[in-house]
Amino acid sequence: MTTMESLIGLVNRIQRACTMLGDYGGGDNAFSSLWEALPSVAVVGGQSSGKSSVLESIVGRDFLPRGSGIVTRRPLVLQLHKTEEGSQEYAEFLHLPKRRFTDFAAVRKEIQDETDRVTGRTKQISPVPIHLSIYSPNVVNLTLIDLPGLTKVAVEGQPESIVQDIEVMVRTYVEKPNCIILAISPANQDIATSDAIKLAREVDPSGERTFGVLTKLDLMDKGTNALDVLEGRSYRLQHPWVGIVNRSQADINKNVDMIIARRKEREYFATSSDYGHLASKMGSEYLAKLLSKHLESVIRARIPSITSLINKSIDELESEMDHLGRPIAVDAGAQLYTILELCRAFDRIFKEHLEGGRPGGDRIYGVFDHQLPAALRKLPFDRHLSMQNVRKIVSEADGYQPHLIAPEQGYRRLIEGSLNYFRGPAEASVDAVHFVLKELVRKSIGETQELKRFPTLQAEIAAASNEALERFRDESKKTVIRLVDMESSYLTVDFFRRLPQEIEKAGGPGAAAAAAPTGDRYAEGHFRRIGSNVSSYVGMVSDTLRNTIPKAVVYCQVKEAKQSLLNHFYTLLGRKEAKQLSQLLDEDPALMERRQQCSKRLELYKAARDEIDSVSWAR
């Protein structure tokens, strides 16, 4: 194989592989850029300009749908692959990757059917391309894109926007700087009215990317010729014009072989009085070789940028493969080690949330600094220690025997009733911290990149963590309730012993005598003083619990979560068999598919880089 064939064949293979991997079609990743960086040839022309015949002449096969009006209603990306002499010709569609077509009439039918599948049996168009590869010893390595014919008016069954829609679709291809424009114009029409040349002039004003093709030379009026166009006098291009003589309608009806048609075309130019001096530079075979030679020069110029893009893609893929993770070992010991490493990664992130390396742990402090004090302030002590309630409780506590010195039982009942209110805020603080910890577990699992591959393991870690947090919550509730109960179990006697002394200091010796509950034990002032004393004591206990409840919650929940969140899970892991460990490492199918795609792309780009490096640049 020549250097030229190697280069163009390489580009074809890369384009084909990119297409099969879904990188073609304008995706937002770097991979699709590779397809667009590789040169291809877009075939542009008005309706009935002979585009299909030119393509069939280049391929040497009759395989395209024919008819009146818009026949090509979807772009056809046609990749030609030159094979060894004598090998069988066949075609493959991207949407039917496992089927080889050796009957090219079936290829034509499949193009029609696939077009109808997207557009319906109407005259609508679609920008979704059909990808077709043809392998033959009678072709040169090329990528050709057959586009719908440009039109000036909509016919019945087409929307009014069809003219603009087709032009927009064609422009999306020919505006790309790496696209070579094959502008098809019929010789029996004035070149000044050529739709293809008009569009090519707009997108390629310098003419560097445009090749002019003049069809239907044999259909010109007698006594006229197209020499002014072919010799560049009517409209000059940087590349020479090429004349084509397609099969006549009679030949098409008779299914004249394309190889015979090529021979007739050669004979036409060789024996033509008008074009004989140009015969060596006319015809579909010459056009194919001309395009192939031009592609070689374009590829040579683009090799550095293509290589750079391939290397960039390889780096990105290597990085993504590292991010996705490598395949999991099948050995049970290695699997257990992997699971433990993943657990440690999660545990590390969870601790960072608690300790301040990541946000979230501050919400626990908010429970103690805001929620708990607010809940304590809202407790209904005013109602419990109202004059009416104090009178009722104190009176009932004495029974039929009035208290002699102080209503001790009344005091105790009032205090115990008040302290019971602290249970609610204590339990609420435990629940609030439990909720924060559960949220941090969820966030930590989501932020552990290594775990994203394994949804089953994620679920197991979440379940084990939440189960541990439930245990910590239960223990924490028991502890804070004990703190409240301890305050009820033993009252601080010194507080009440200090009361007469404080009253005496405030009001003198007479005040102490007045404070003694002698003759006025049923007076309003007596009950008000009892309520005030109990309120002061409850306030003292509230200040104590405001400090001790957070300590208990942190000790029983936060500290335990930091130290032993997954301890029980680790114990269970050690008892699992190899099959159970393997199930924990059952990956997300989407990630497995993504890794497989990345691996294929990586293989493609490395092979492409190796092939480029191995091609000899000697002319």
Side-chain angles (χ1 to χ4, degrees), residues 70 124-125 151 153-155 158-169:
I70 299 179
Q124 301 292 327
I125 63 169
T151 185
V153 293
V155 299
Q158 295 176 341
E160 290 298 325
S161 64
I162 191 74
V163 177
Q164 183 68 22
D165 293 343
I166 292 176
E167 183 173 338
V168 169
M169 183 194 303

Side-chain angles (χ1 to χ4, degrees), residues 13 18 42 54 60 62 82 88 129 172 196 229 245 259 292 294 300 380 386 482 520 528 539 551 562:
R13 289 193 296 277
C18 285
V54 171
D62 188 353
K82 185 174 181 60
Q88 185 182 31
T172 59
V229 177
V245 175
I259 303 302
S292 187
H294 179 71
R300 284 182 185 278
S386 65
R482 284 194 188 103
D520 64 342
R528 184 179 293 111
K551 295 177 186 294
K562 283 175 58 178

Side-chain angles (χ1 to χ4, degrees), residues 192-408:
T193 64
S194 170
D195 296 316
I197 290 300
K198 177 178 179 293
L199 182 59
R201 184 187 300 161
E202 292 177 9
V203 299
D204 180 32
S206 66
E208 293 179 356
R209 299 188 286 117
T210 303
F211 282 79
V213 177
L214 211 58
T215 61
K216 304 185 180 183
L217 291 170
D218 55 331
L219 300 182
M220 296 185 70
D221 294 336
K222 288 184 178 182
T224 62
N225 61 49
L227 285 177
D228 283 348
V229 177
L230 293 175
E231 292 179 347
R233 291 190 294 274
S234 292
Y235 186 80
R236 180 174 293 278
L237 295 171
Q238 290 200 21
H239 304 288
W241 283 82
V242 178
I244 298 289
V245 175
N246 298 322
R247 289 181 300 168
S248 66
Q249 188 60 48
D251 289 339
I252 294 172
N253 294 339
K254 294 176 183 178
N255 292 322
V256 172
D257 185 84
M258 292 299 300
I259 303 302
I260 297 175
R262 283 182 179 178
R263 187 175 69 246
K264 285 185 175 182
E265 184 185 44
R266 287 195 301 270
E267 292 173 355
Y268 173 86
F269 285 111
T271 59
S272 171
S273 58
D274 291 324
Y275 311 116
H277 64 293
L278 298 174
S280 62
K281 296 182 179 180
M282 295 288 118
S284 55
E285 289 181 290
Y286 174 76
L287 175 62
K289 292 176 182 177
L290 178 66
L291 290 174
S292 187
K293 184 177 180 180
H294 179 71
L295 276 175
E296 180 197 11
S297 64
V298 171
I299 293 168
R300 284 182 185 278
R302 302 273 165 79
I303 282 295
S305 61
I306 292 173
T307 302
S308 175
L309 186 54
I310 288 175
N311 286 332
K312 178 184 176 183
S313 298
I314 288 174
D315 291 341
E316 290 179 353
L317 285 167
E318 291 281 12
S319 175
E320 184 166 3
M321 286 293 286
D322 290 338
H323 178 72
L324 293 173
R326 303 294 172 171
I328 299 300
V330 296
D331 175 68
Q335 289 178 342
L336 178 59
Y337 176 80
T338 299
I339 292 172
L340 292 175
E341 283 294 300
L342 293 169
C343 290
R344 280 191 280 270
F346 154 75
D347 194 51
R348 183 176 62 254
I349 291 175
F350 178 69
K351 288 177 180 176
E352 288 175 3
H353 278 292
L354 288 177
E355 295 169 352
R358 294 172 185 255
D362 55 308
R363 291 171 58 194
I364 295 175
Y365 173 73
V367 172
F368 303 142
D369 195 51
H370 301 295
Q371 295 183 35
L372 177 60
L376 293 176
R377 286 194 297 270
K378 292 179 181 178
L379 292 177
F381 294 130
D382 289 344
R383 185 175 70 248
H384 183 67
L385 297 178
S386 65
M387 182 66 62
Q388 181 181 358
N389 199 49
V390 169
R391 183 192 301 274
K392 177 176 179 296
I393 291 175
V394 170
S395 299
E396 290 175 352
D398 284 343
Y400 73 94
Q401 290 274 11
H403 56 264
L404 300 179
I405 300 176
E408 181 170 327

Side-chain angles (χ1 to χ4, degrees), residues 397-471:
D398 284 343
Y400 73 94
Q401 290 274 11
H403 56 264
L404 300 179
I405 300 176
E408 181 170 327
Q409 292 302 319
Y411 267 108
R412 290 188 179 277
R413 291 189 183 183
L414 284 170
I415 292 173
E416 288 174 1
S418 298
L419 296 185
N420 280 335
Y421 286 117
F422 288 115
R423 287 173 173 263
E427 292 184 332
S429 298
V430 171
D431 289 335
V433 170
H434 175 76
F435 177 79
V436 173
L437 292 174
K438 283 186 68 174
E439 276 292 295
L440 294 183
V441 165
R442 185 187 61 79
K443 287 186 66 176
S444 300
I445 289 175
E447 293 171 7
T448 307
Q449 295 297 327
E450 300 92 330
L451 272 177
K452 292 185 182 297
R453 298 170 57 185
F454 310 108
T456 302
L457 183 58
Q458 287 183 48
E460 289 288 332
I461 290 177
S465 299
N466 290 333
E467 186 179 333
L469 292 179
E470 291 287 347
R471 292 198 304 272

Side-chain angles (χ1 to χ4, degrees), residues 538-559:
V538 170
M540 181 191 71
V541 173
S542 179
D543 291 339
T544 301
L545 291 177
R546 180 175 175 176
N547 293 321
T548 56
I549 287 175
K551 295 177 186 294
V553 171
V554 169
Y555 181 80
C556 295
Q557 288 176 269
V558 181
K559 185 179 177 183

